Amino acid sequence: MLAQTIRKKLGKAAKEEKGFTLIELLAVIVILGIIAVIAIPMIGNVISNSRKEADLATARQLYDAARLYVIGEANGDYREHTKVTLTELKAGNYVDQNIVLPSTKAPLVEATTLINFNDDGTLLNVVLDPHAADITDGTYTATKILTE
């Protein structure tokens, strides 16, 4: 009864009320803000991890191309090809001519992007140049390439 009297004095009848109150709108905005605070860092981590994985996949592809290069060009004799450059892989068409580092979209430098093997053909490491900011020298170890 009291509520109806107050509504009549304020000029609003109960049936004419439409829309949301300011408090309801503020509550929704606060809830959306909390969700954003939680979700944005998670999305950032997903993007960062996918960039790292893409760079690792590129290193793995270069390793596979270098193995094919040594088998095709040197009959599998790794003693003469312990260090394979991107220049050699491109010359033999073992990799795309426009290969880039996925995380930065920067073209790989032909002379300093290296795949290093032992004399017996065991992978030592792959060096990508330029490298992503979170990799100190662009070197991916054999363990990382072959197991992850």
Side-chain angles (χ1 to χ4, degrees):
M1 188 85 163
L2 179 63
Q4 290 175 349
T5 306
I6 293 172
R7 284 189 191 131
K8 285 181 183 178
K9 287 189 178 186
L10 293 175
K12 294 182 178 179
K15 293 179 183 177
E16 294 179 19
E17 290 183 19
K18 293 180 182 176
F20 299 103
T21 65
L22 183 59
I23 299 295
E24 291 170 331
L25 292 173
L26 288 175
V28 169
I29 291 170
V30 168
I31 290 170
L32 291 174
I34 291 170
I35 291 171
V37 166
I38 294 169
I40 289 174
M42 293 173 76
I43 292 169
N45 287 339
V46 167
I47 292 169
S48 176
N49 289 342
S50 66
R51 286 182 179 159
K52 288 178 189 176
E53 290 172 9
D55 290 348
L56 179 61
T58 298
R60 189 175 301 124
Q61 289 171 354
L62 289 174
Y63 159 66
D64 290 336
R67 284 182 34 209
L68 291 172
Y69 170 80
V70 172
I71 291 168
E73 305 295 326
N75 296 322
D77 186 8
Y78 284 90
R79 289 172 287 170
E80 294 186 22
H81 293 286
T82 58
K83 197 174 278 192
V84 179
T85 65
L86 184 57
T87 305
E88 294 168 314
L89 296 177
K90 282 185 175 182
N93 290 322
Y94 290 93
V95 295
D96 185 40
Q97 296 296 318
N98 301 318
I99 191 166
V100 297
L101 189 65
S103 63
T104 61
K105 304 295 186 232
L108 293 172
V109 179
E110 292 184 16
T112 54
T113 297
L114 305 170
I115 302 90
N116 298 306
F117 294 100
N118 283 333
D119 288 342
D120 64 353
T122 306
L123 177 67
L124 291 174
N125 58 38
V126 175
V127 180
L128 300 181
D129 182 32
H131 53 82
D134 58 340
I135 304 293
T136 54
D137 61 354
T139 301
Y140 292 84
T141 63
T143 304
K144 189 166 193 146
I145 290 173
L146 299 175
T147 60
E148 290 186 18

Coordinates of all heavy atoms in Angstrom, one line a residue, residues 42-101:
M42 N 44.1 -15.2 -19.5 CA 44.1 -16.5 -20.1 C 44.2 -16.6 -21.6 O 44.9 -17.4 -22.1 CB 42.8 -17.2 -19.6 CG 42.8 -17.5 -18.1 SD 41.2 -18.1 -17.6 CE 41.3 -19.8 -18.1
I43 N 43.5 -15.6 -22.2 CA 43.6 -15.5 -23.7 C 45.0 -15.2 -24.1 O 45.5 -15.7 -25.1 CB 42.6 -14.5 -24.2 CG1 41.2 -15.1 -24.0 CG2 42.8 -14.2 -25.7 CD1 40.1 -14.1 -24.2
G44 N 45.6 -14.2 -23.4 CA 47.0 -13.9 -23.7 C 48.0 -15.0 -23.6 O 48.9 -15.2 -24.4
N45 N 47.8 -15.9 -22.6 CA 48.6 -17.1 -22.4 C 48.4 -18.1 -23.6 O 49.4 -18.7 -24.0 CB 48.4 -17.8 -21.1 CG 48.9 -17.0 -19.9 OD1 49.8 -16.2 -20.1 ND2 48.4 -17.2 -18.7
V46 N 47.2 -18.2 -24.0 CA 46.9 -19.1 -25.1 C 47.7 -18.6 -26.4 O 48.3 -19.4 -27.1 CB 45.4 -19.3 -25.3 CG1 45.1 -19.9 -26.7 CG2 44.8 -20.0 -24.2
I47 N 47.6 -17.3 -26.6 CA 48.2 -16.8 -27.8 C 49.7 -16.9 -27.7 O 50.4 -17.3 -28.7 CB 47.8 -15.3 -28.0 CG1 46.4 -15.2 -28.4 CG2 48.7 -14.6 -29.0 CD1 45.8 -13.8 -28.3
S48 N 50.3 -16.6 -26.6 CA 51.8 -16.8 -26.4 C 52.2 -18.2 -26.6 O 53.2 -18.5 -27.2 CB 52.1 -16.3 -25.0 OG 53.5 -16.5 -24.7
N49 N 51.5 -19.2 -26.0 CA 51.9 -20.6 -26.1 C 51.8 -21.0 -27.6 O 52.6 -21.8 -28.0 CB 51.0 -21.4 -25.2 CG 51.3 -21.3 -23.8 OD1 52.4 -20.8 -23.4 ND2 50.4 -21.6 -22.9
S50 N 50.8 -20.6 -28.3 CA 50.6 -21.0 -29.7 C 51.8 -20.4 -30.5 O 52.2 -21.1 -31.5 CB 49.3 -20.6 -30.2 OG 49.2 -19.2 -30.3
R51 N 52.3 -19.3 -30.2 CA 53.4 -18.7 -30.9 C 54.7 -19.5 -30.7 O 55.4 -19.8 -31.6 CB 53.6 -17.3 -30.5 CG 52.6 -16.3 -31.1 CD 52.9 -14.9 -30.8 NE 51.9 -14.0 -31.4 CZ 51.6 -12.8 -31.0 NH1 52.2 -12.3 -29.9 NH2 50.6 -12.1 -31.6
K52 N 54.9 -19.9 -29.4 CA 56.0 -20.7 -29.1 C 56.0 -22.1 -29.8 O 56.9 -22.6 -30.3 CB 56.1 -21.0 -27.6 CG 56.5 -19.7 -26.8 CD 56.5 -20.1 -25.3 CE 56.7 -18.8 -24.5 NZ 56.6 -19.1 -23.0
E53 N 54.8 -22.7 -29.8 CA 54.6 -24.0 -30.5 C 54.8 -23.9 -32.0 O 55.3 -24.8 -32.6 CB 53.2 -24.6 -30.1 CG 53.1 -25.0 -28.7 CD 51.7 -25.4 -28.3 OE1 50.8 -25.5 -29.1 OE2 51.5 -25.6 -27.1
A54 N 54.4 -22.8 -32.6 CA 54.5 -22.6 -34.0 C 56.0 -22.5 -34.3 O 56.5 -23.0 -35.3 CB 53.8 -21.4 -34.5
D55 N 56.8 -21.7 -33.5 CA 58.2 -21.6 -33.7 C 58.9 -23.0 -33.6 O 59.8 -23.3 -34.4 CB 58.8 -20.6 -32.8 CG 58.4 -19.2 -33.1 OD1 57.9 -18.9 -34.2 OD2 58.7 -18.3 -32.2
L56 N 58.5 -23.7 -32.6 CA 59.1 -25.1 -32.4 C 58.7 -26.0 -33.6 O 59.6 -26.7 -34.1 CB 58.6 -25.7 -31.1 CG 59.0 -27.1 -30.8 CD1 60.5 -27.1 -30.6 CD2 58.4 -27.6 -29.5
A57 N 57.5 -25.8 -34.1 CA 57.2 -26.6 -35.3 C 58.0 -26.3 -36.5 O 58.4 -27.1 -37.3 CB 55.7 -26.4 -35.6
T58 N 58.3 -25.0 -36.6 CA 59.2 -24.5 -37.7 C 60.6 -25.2 -37.6 O 61.2 -25.6 -38.5 CB 59.3 -23.0 -37.8 OG1 58.0 -22.5 -38.0 CG2 60.2 -22.5 -38.8
A59 N 61.1 -25.2 -36.3 CA 62.4 -25.8 -36.1 C 62.4 -27.3 -36.4 O 63.3 -27.8 -37.0 CB 62.8 -25.6 -34.6
R60 N 61.3 -27.9 -36.1 CA 61.1 -29.4 -36.4 C 61.1 -29.6 -37.9 O 61.6 -30.5 -38.4 CB 59.9 -29.9 -35.7 CG 59.7 -31.4 -35.8 CD 58.5 -31.9 -35.0 NE 58.6 -31.6 -33.6 CZ 57.7 -30.9 -32.9 NH1 56.6 -30.5 -33.5 NH2 57.8 -30.6 -31.6
Q61 N 60.4 -28.7 -38.6 CA 60.3 -28.8 -40.1 C 61.7 -28.6 -40.7 O 62.0 -29.3 -41.7 CB 59.3 -27.8 -40.6 CG 57.9 -28.2 -40.3 CD 56.9 -27.1 -40.6 OE1 57.3 -26.0 -41.0 NE2 55.6 -27.4 -40.5
L62 N 62.4 -27.7 -40.2 CA 63.8 -27.5 -40.7 C 64.7 -28.7 -40.5 O 65.5 -29.1 -41.3 CB 64.4 -26.2 -40.1 CG 63.8 -24.9 -40.6 CD1 64.4 -23.7 -39.9 CD2 64.0 -24.8 -42.1
Y63 N 64.5 -29.3 -39.3 CA 65.3 -30.5 -39.0 C 64.9 -31.6 -40.0 O 65.8 -32.3 -40.5 CB 65.0 -31.0 -37.5 CG 65.3 -32.4 -37.3 CD1 66.6 -32.9 -37.3 CD2 64.2 -33.3 -37.0 CE1 66.8 -34.2 -37.0 CE2 64.5 -34.6 -36.7 CZ 65.8 -35.1 -36.7 OH 66.1 -36.4 -36.5
D64 N 63.6 -31.8 -40.2 CA 63.2 -32.9 -41.2 C 63.7 -32.6 -42.6 O 64.2 -33.5 -43.3 CB 61.7 -33.0 -41.2 CG 61.1 -33.6 -39.9 OD1 61.9 -34.3 -39.2 OD2 59.9 -33.4 -39.6
A65 N 63.7 -31.3 -43.0 CA 64.2 -30.9 -44.3 C 65.7 -31.1 -44.4 O 66.2 -31.6 -45.4 CB 63.9 -29.5 -44.6
A66 N 66.4 -30.9 -43.3 CA 67.9 -31.1 -43.3 C 68.2 -32.5 -43.4 O 69.2 -32.9 -44.1 CB 68.5 -30.4 -42.0
R67 N 67.5 -33.4 -42.7 CA 67.7 -34.8 -42.9 C 67.5 -35.3 -44.3 O 68.3 -36.0 -44.8 CB 66.7 -35.6 -41.9 CG 67.1 -35.6 -40.5 CD 66.3 -36.3 -39.6 NE 65.7 -37.5 -40.2 CZ 64.5 -38.1 -39.8 NH1 63.8 -37.5 -38.9 NH2 64.1 -39.2 -40.4
L68 N 66.4 -34.8 -44.9 CA 66.2 -35.2 -46.3 C 67.3 -34.6 -47.2 O 67.7 -35.3 -48.2 CB 64.8 -34.6 -46.8 CG 63.6 -35.3 -46.2 CD1 62.3 -34.5 -46.5 CD2 63.5 -36.7 -46.6
Y69 N 67.8 -33.4 -46.9 CA 68.8 -32.8 -47.7 C 70.1 -33.7 -47.6 O 70.7 -34.0 -48.7 CB 69.1 -31.4 -47.2 CG 70.4 -30.8 -47.7 CD1 70.4 -30.2 -49.0 CD2 71.6 -30.8 -47.0 CE1 71.5 -29.6 -49.5 CE2 72.7 -30.2 -47.6 CZ 72.7 -29.7 -48.8 OH 73.8 -29.1 -49.3
V70 N 70.5 -34.1 -46.4 CA 71.7 -34.9 -46.3 C 71.5 -36.3 -47.0 O 72.5 -36.8 -47.6 CB 72.1 -35.1 -44.8 CG1 73.2 -36.1 -44.6 CG2 72.5 -33.7 -44.2
I71 N 70.4 -36.9 -46.8 CA 70.1 -38.2 -47.5 C 70.1 -38.0 -49.0 O 70.7 -38.8 -49.7 CB 68.8 -38.8 -47.0 CG1 68.9 -39.2 -45.6 CG2 68.4 -39.9 -47.9 CD1 67.6 -39.5 -44.9
G72 N 69.5 -36.9 -49.5 CA 69.4 -36.7 -51.0 C 70.7 -36.2 -51.6 O 71.0 -36.6 -52.7
E73 N 71.4 -35.3 -50.9 CA 72.5 -34.7 -51.6 C 73.9 -35.3 -51.2 O 74.8 -35.2 -51.9 CB 72.6 -33.2 -51.1 CG 71.3 -32.4 -51.4 CD 71.0 -32.3 -52.9 OE1 71.9 -32.2 -53.7 OE2 69.8 -32.3 -53.3
A74 N 73.9 -36.0 -50.0 CA 75.2 -36.6 -49.6 C 75.1 -38.1 -49.3 O 75.9 -38.6 -48.6 CB 75.7 -35.8 -48.4
N75 N 74.0 -38.7 -49.8 CA 73.8 -40.1 -49.6 C 73.8 -40.5 -48.1 O 74.3 -41.6 -47.8 CB 74.9 -41.0 -50.4 CG 74.7 -40.8 -51.9 OD1 73.6 -40.7 -52.4 ND2 75.8 -40.7 -52.6
G76 N 73.3 -39.6 -47.3 CA 73.2 -39.9 -45.9 C 74.5 -39.8 -45.1 O 74.6 -40.2 -43.9
D77 N 75.6 -39.2 -45.7 CA 76.8 -39.0 -45.0 C 76.8 -37.7 -44.2 O 77.0 -36.7 -44.8 CB 78.0 -39.0 -46.0 CG 79.4 -39.0 -45.3 OD1 79.4 -39.1 -44.0 OD2 80.4 -38.9 -46.0
Y78 N 76.6 -37.8 -42.9 CA 76.5 -36.6 -42.1 C 77.9 -36.0 -41.7 O 77.9 -34.9 -41.3 CB 75.7 -36.9 -40.8 CG 74.2 -37.1 -41.0 CD1 73.6 -38.3 -41.3 CD2 73.4 -36.0 -40.8 CE1 72.3 -38.4 -41.5 CE2 72.0 -36.0 -41.0 CZ 71.5 -37.3 -41.3 OH 70.1 -37.3 -41.5
R79 N 78.9 -36.8 -41.9 CA 80.3 -36.3 -41.6 C 80.6 -35.0 -42.4 O 81.3 -34.2 -41.9 CB 81.3 -37.4 -41.8 CG 81.2 -38.5 -40.7 CD 82.1 -39.6 -41.0 NE 81.5 -40.3 -42.2 CZ 82.1 -41.2 -42.9 NH1 83.3 -41.6 -42.6 NH2 81.5 -41.8 -43.9
E80 N 80.1 -34.9 -43.6 CA 80.4 -33.8 -44.4 C 79.4 -32.7 -44.2 O 79.5 -31.6 -44.7 CB 80.6 -34.2 -45.9 CG 81.8 -35.1 -46.1 CD 82.0 -35.3 -47.6 OE1 81.5 -34.5 -48.4 OE2 82.6 -36.3 -47.9
H81 N 78.3 -33.0 -43.6 CA 77.2 -32.1 -43.4 C 76.7 -32.0 -42.0 O 75.5 -32.2 -41.7 CB 76.0 -32.4 -44.3 CG 76.3 -32.3 -45.8 ND1 76.4 -31.1 -46.4 CD2 76.5 -33.2 -46.7 CE1 76.7 -31.3 -47.7 NE2 76.8 -32.6 -47.9
T82 N 77.6 -31.7 -41.1 CA 77.2 -31.6 -39.7 C 76.5 -30.3 -39.4 O 75.8 -30.1 -38.4 CB 78.5 -31.7 -38.7 OG1 79.4 -30.6 -39.1 CG2 79.1 -33.0 -38.8
K83 N 76.7 -29.3 -40.3 CA 76.0 -28.0 -40.2 C 75.3 -27.7 -41.6 O 76.0 -27.5 -42.6 CB 77.0 -26.9 -39.9 CG 76.5 -25.7 -39.4 CD 77.6 -24.7 -39.0 CE 78.0 -25.1 -37.6 NZ 78.9 -24.1 -36.9
V84 N 74.0 -27.7 -41.5 CA 73.2 -27.4 -42.7 C 72.6 -26.1 -42.6 O 71.9 -25.8 -41.5 CB 72.1 -28.5 -43.0 CG1 71.3 -28.2 -44.2 CG2 72.7 -29.9 -43.1
T85 N 72.7 -25.2 -43.6 CA 72.2 -23.9 -43.5 C 70.9 -23.8 -44.2 O 70.6 -24.6 -45.1 CB 73.1 -22.8 -44.1 OG1 73.3 -23.1 -45.5 CG2 74.5 -22.8 -43.4
L86 N 70.1 -22.8 -44.0 CA 68.9 -22.5 -44.7 C 69.1 -22.3 -46.1 O 68.3 -22.6 -47.0 CB 68.1 -21.4 -44.0 CG 66.7 -21.0 -44.6 CD1 65.8 -22.3 -44.5 CD2 66.1 -19.9 -43.8
T87 N 70.3 -21.7 -46.5 CA 70.6 -21.4 -47.8 C 70.7 -22.7 -48.6 O 70.1 -22.8 -49.8 CB 72.0 -20.7 -47.9 OG1 72.0 -19.6 -47.1 CG2 72.4 -20.4 -49.3
E88 N 71.3 -23.8 -48.1 CA 71.4 -25.1 -48.7 C 70.0 -25.7 -48.9 O 69.7 -26.3 -49.9 CB 72.3 -26.0 -47.9 CG 73.7 -25.6 -47.9 CD 74.5 -26.3 -46.8 OE1 74.1 -26.5 -45.7 OE2 75.7 -26.7 -47.2
L89 N 69.2 -25.6 -47.9 CA 67.8 -26.1 -47.9 C 67.0 -25.5 -49.0 O 66.2 -26.1 -49.7 CB 67.1 -26.1 -46.6 CG 67.8 -26.9 -45.5 CD1 67.0 -26.7 -44.2 CD2 67.9 -28.4 -45.8
K90 N 67.1 -24.1 -49.1 CA 66.3 -23.4 -50.1 C 66.9 -23.7 -51.5 O 66.1 -23.9 -52.5 CB 66.4 -21.9 -49.9 CG 65.5 -21.4 -48.8 CD 65.6 -19.9 -48.7 CE 64.6 -19.4 -47.6 NZ 64.6 -17.9 -47.6
A91 N 68.2 -23.8 -51.7 CA 68.8 -24.1 -53.0 C 68.3 -25.5 -53.5 O 68.1 -25.6 -54.7 CB 70.3 -24.1 -52.9
G92 N 68.1 -26.4 -52.6 CA 67.7 -27.8 -53.0 C 66.2 -27.9 -53.0 O 65.7 -29.0 -53.2
N93 N 65.5 -26.8 -52.8 CA 64.0 -26.8 -52.7 C 63.5 -27.8 -51.6 O 62.4 -28.4 -51.8 CB 63.4 -27.1 -54.1 CG 63.6 -26.0 -55.0 OD1 63.5 -24.8 -54.7 ND2 63.9 -26.3 -56.3
Y94 N 64.2 -27.9 -50.5 CA 63.7 -28.7 -49.4 C 62.8 -27.9 -48.5 O 62.0 -28.5 -47.7 CB 64.9 -29.2 -48.6 CG 65.6 -30.3 -49.4 CD1 66.7 -29.9 -50.2 CD2 65.2 -31.6 -49.4 CE1 67.4 -30.9 -50.9 CE2 65.9 -32.6 -50.1 CZ 67.0 -32.2 -50.8 OH 67.7 -33.2 -51.6
V95 N 62.8 -26.6 -48.6 CA 61.9 -25.7 -47.8 C 61.4 -24.6 -48.7 O 62.0 -24.3 -49.8 CB 62.6 -25.1 -46.6 CG1 62.9 -26.1 -45.6 CG2 63.8 -24.2 -46.9
D96 N 60.3 -24.0 -48.3 CA 59.8 -22.9 -49.1 C 60.8 -21.7 -49.1 O 61.5 -21.4 -48.2 CB 58.5 -22.4 -48.4 CG 57.7 -21.3 -49.1 OD1 57.7 -21.5 -50.4 OD2 57.2 -20.4 -48.5
Q97 N 60.8 -21.0 -50.2 CA 61.7 -19.9 -50.4 C 61.4 -18.7 -49.5 O 62.3 -17.9 -49.2 CB 61.7 -19.4 -51.9 CG 62.2 -20.4 -52.9 CD 63.6 -20.8 -52.7 OE1 64.5 -20.0 -52.4 NE2 63.9 -22.1 -52.7
N98 N 60.1 -18.6 -49.1 CA 59.7 -17.5 -48.2 C 59.4 -17.9 -46.8 O 58.5 -17.4 -46.2 CB 58.5 -16.8 -48.9 CG 58.7 -16.3 -50.3 OD1 59.8 -15.7 -50.5 ND2 57.8 -16.5 -51.1
I99 N 60.2 -18.7 -46.2 CA 60.0 -19.2 -44.9 C 60.2 -18.1 -43.9 O 61.1 -17.3 -44.0 CB 60.8 -20.5 -44.6 CG1 60.4 -21.1 -43.3 CG2 62.3 -20.1 -44.6 CD1 61.0 -22.5 -43.1
V100 N 59.3 -18.0 -42.9 CA 59.3 -17.0 -41.9 C 59.2 -17.6 -40.5 O 58.7 -18.7 -40.4 CB 58.2 -15.9 -42.1 CG1 58.4 -15.2 -43.4 CG2 56.8 -16.5 -42.0
L101 N 59.6 -16.9 -39.5 CA 59.3 -17.3 -38.1 C 57.9 -17.0 -37.8 O 57.5 -15.8 -37.8 CB 60.3 -16.5 -37.2 CG 60.3 -17.0 -35.7 CD1 60.9 -18.4 -35.7 CD2 61.2 -16.1 -34.9

